[in-house]
Amino acid sequence: MVIAQINTSEINFREAINELREEKNALILSHNYQIPEIQDLADVVGDSLNLSLQALKSDKDLIVFCGVNFMAETASILAPNKKVVIPDLKAGCSLADTINVQQLREWKDKHPDTVVISYINTSAAIKAESDYCCTSSNAVKVVEEIPLNKEILFLPDLFLGAYIENMTGRKMHIWPGECHVHAKLTANEINTMKNDLPDADFLVHPECGCVSNIMYELSEGNIKNDNTKILSTDGMIKYANQSNAKEFVVATETGILHQLQKQNPEKKFHPVKDDAVCEYMKMITLEKLYRSINEEIYEVKVPEEIAKRAIKPITRMINIV
Ligand code: 13P
Ligand code: SF4
């Protein structure tokens, strides 16, 4: 069989993707950290929770997930009758990789009769071993659902775990995982920005290395809690849209600046660190998106036995908003 060679350099990817989207009845989802060209072409741009919900309620046949693997897996579990594809299978997550199933089982054996809460940044196999899942936007509410007499194993992010403990006043067993991008956004960086831009609003993702320090400073009254907000990525966008501030300092992956700036052209957004860049999130290009939608690759299908168990904690997560 002769396979026709496509000369991709001659393709106008934007136009071709738009045509294919119609032809294939496809929905293109983009996380807030994707490159601007992908965000601008997507049907929906959002955070992990929002994108999972879009996959669930969509009536499209093909879901093209421009994000990282665990997000596409979650979409596939929620929408088992749809074809979910990711344009690059190598788009992983350093945080999700900090725990595997064997490690979780050993941890559970050491702490029997506990409730396991997994952050959405975990593999489907880890979710299948969990009682609840959560995202950065509902983690506190999920923990508040757990009866007080139950011990909690929270995984895998230690900074998010510390934030939840502080917000709920509840002690948990916390897995010592971290995201390599957010961990390097430390208190020093934030404090320098506070000196440089004292009137700006500060938007901080709860995975950041600075979160514990910010909460301490807030509780001591050293920083104002009316201009320092700990939020998920969609939470940051909603907050910036309604804030009267003219300048914002953003402590998360820099991809979100495109969406913030696009929705608020008259406001100014400063990243805490220009190099807070998640290389996994940047793997998807227009060319890869074109191939993905055209060839319907790479399909993300979670084994049925895992999906059957993972759907319960995921459903609990989406019902707690
Ligand atoms: P959000 O759920 O806030 O989109 O965050 C996901 C993520 O991967 C953060 O690094
Ligand atoms: Fe994972 Fe960190 Fe990238 Fe988010 S920014 S996808 S947590 S590696």
Side-chain angles (χ1 to χ4, degrees):
M1 189 172 72
V2 181
I3 299 174
Q5 289 292 313
I6 304 167
N7 184 353
T8 47
S9 63
E10 288 170 15
I11 295 179
N12 177 336
F13 291 117
R14 224 168 258 113
E15 260 175 39
I17 291 164
N18 280 332
E19 275 169 27
L20 284 165
R21 171 174 18 210
E22 291 297 311
E23 198 182 296
K24 306 234 174 186
N25 194 29
L27 176 75
I28 302 176
L29 301 176
S30 163
H31 189 267
N32 290 316
Y33 298 158
Q34 291 287 297
I35 60 170
E37 294 85 337
I38 298 287
Q39 294 191 28
D40 290 346
L41 254 183
D43 296 293
V44 185
V45 184
D47 67 6
S48 318
L49 180 60
N50 182 3
L51 296 181
S52 306
L53 294 172
Q54 298 296 330
L56 176 67
K57 69 175 193 207
S58 168
D59 57 2
K60 302 283 181 182
D61 301 315
L62 179 67
I63 295 176
V64 186
F65 210 116
C66 301
V68 294
N69 266 318
F70 73 80
M71 296 179 183
E73 280 187 338
T74 308
S76 163
I77 293 168
L78 282 168
N81 300 325
K82 288 164 203 151
K83 190 166 187 182
V84 177
V85 294
I86 187 165
D88 191 329
L89 269 181
K90 290 192 289 303
C93 170
S94 63
L95 176 57
D97 287 345
T98 62
I99 186 161
N100 62 37
V101 170
Q102 195 189 332
Q103 288 170 312
L104 175 52
R105 287 187 180 155
E106 284 168 9
W107 201 32
K108 280 162 70 169
D109 285 346
K110 275 195 209 139
H111 301 280
D113 197 29
T114 46
V115 174
V116 177
I117 305 180
S118 293
Y119 187 36
I120 193 164
N121 294 44
T122 45
S123 67
I126 291 287
K127 290 184 175 80
E129 296 280 326
S130 308
D131 299 300
Y132 287 78
C133 292
C134 69
T135 70
S136 52
S137 54
N138 70 355
V140 170
K141 286 190 188 147
V142 169
V143 170
E144 283 170 348
E145 289 271 311
I146 313 301
L148 286 171
N149 62 348
K150 281 280 179 196
E151 282 191 49
I152 297 172
L153 300 185
F154 181 84
L155 66 114
D157 190 86
L158 75 113
F159 299 111
L160 177 62
Y163 167 69
I164 298 168
E165 281 191 335
N166 188 288
M167 295 299 286
T168 60
R170 187 111 182 238
K171 277 306 271 178
M172 304 187 294
H173 302 278
I174 299 172
W175 188 257
E178 60 179 35
C179 152
H180 69 298
V181 180
H182 287 86
K184 64 186 183 193
L185 300 176
T186 62
N188 275 350
E189 264 95 25
I190 300 281
N191 291 339
T192 309
M193 297 296 276
K194 281 199 181 293
N195 289 336
D196 294 350
L197 294 161
D199 297 326
D201 275 1
F202 281 70
L203 311 178
V204 180
H205 196 278
E207 284 174 27
C208 288
C210 58
V211 155
S212 305
N213 182 271
I214 286 183
M215 287 181 308
Y216 172 77
E217 297 287 349
L218 283 170
S219 65
E220 291 291 298
N222 297 340
I223 52 179
K224 294 181 281 175
N225 68 1
D226 54 349
N227 78 341
T228 305
K229 303 288 167 193
I230 299 175
L231 297 163
S232 73
T233 54
D234 270 5
M236 290 181 182
I237 295 168
K238 282 188 202 124
Y239 178 83
N241 291 354
Q242 53 78 44
S243 167
N244 291 326
K246 301 215 172 354
E247 295 198 76
F248 298 80
V249 174
V250 184
T252 193
E253 211 275 350
T254 56
I256 196 173
L257 291 164
H258 176 66
Q259 212 45 233
L260 285 165
Q261 202 63 72
K262 191 172 167 181
Q263 295 191 27
N264 298 279
E266 73 296 352
K267 299 175 183 171
K268 223 170 160 188
F269 297 91
H270 306 268
V272 168
K273 252 176 144 346
D274 287 324
D275 64 351
V277 175
C278 174
E279 59 273 38
Y280 301 112
M281 282 284 181
K282 308 302 183 217
M283 282 178 176
I284 297 173
T285 58
L286 281 184
E287 180 170 353
K288 286 183 193 170
L289 172 55
Y290 164 76
R291 294 188 88 96
S292 179
I293 191 165
N294 189 34
E295 296 171 36
E296 300 187 18
I297 54 170
Y298 298 91
E299 186 169 8
V300 177
K301 193 97 195 129
V302 174
E304 213 181 308
E305 179 272 325
I306 292 179
K308 245 172 41 201
R309 290 186 291 131
I311 189 78
K312 191 171 161 188
I314 293 173
T315 305
R316 285 173 160 170
M317 168 185 83
I318 58 181
N319 287 336
I320 304 174
V321 280

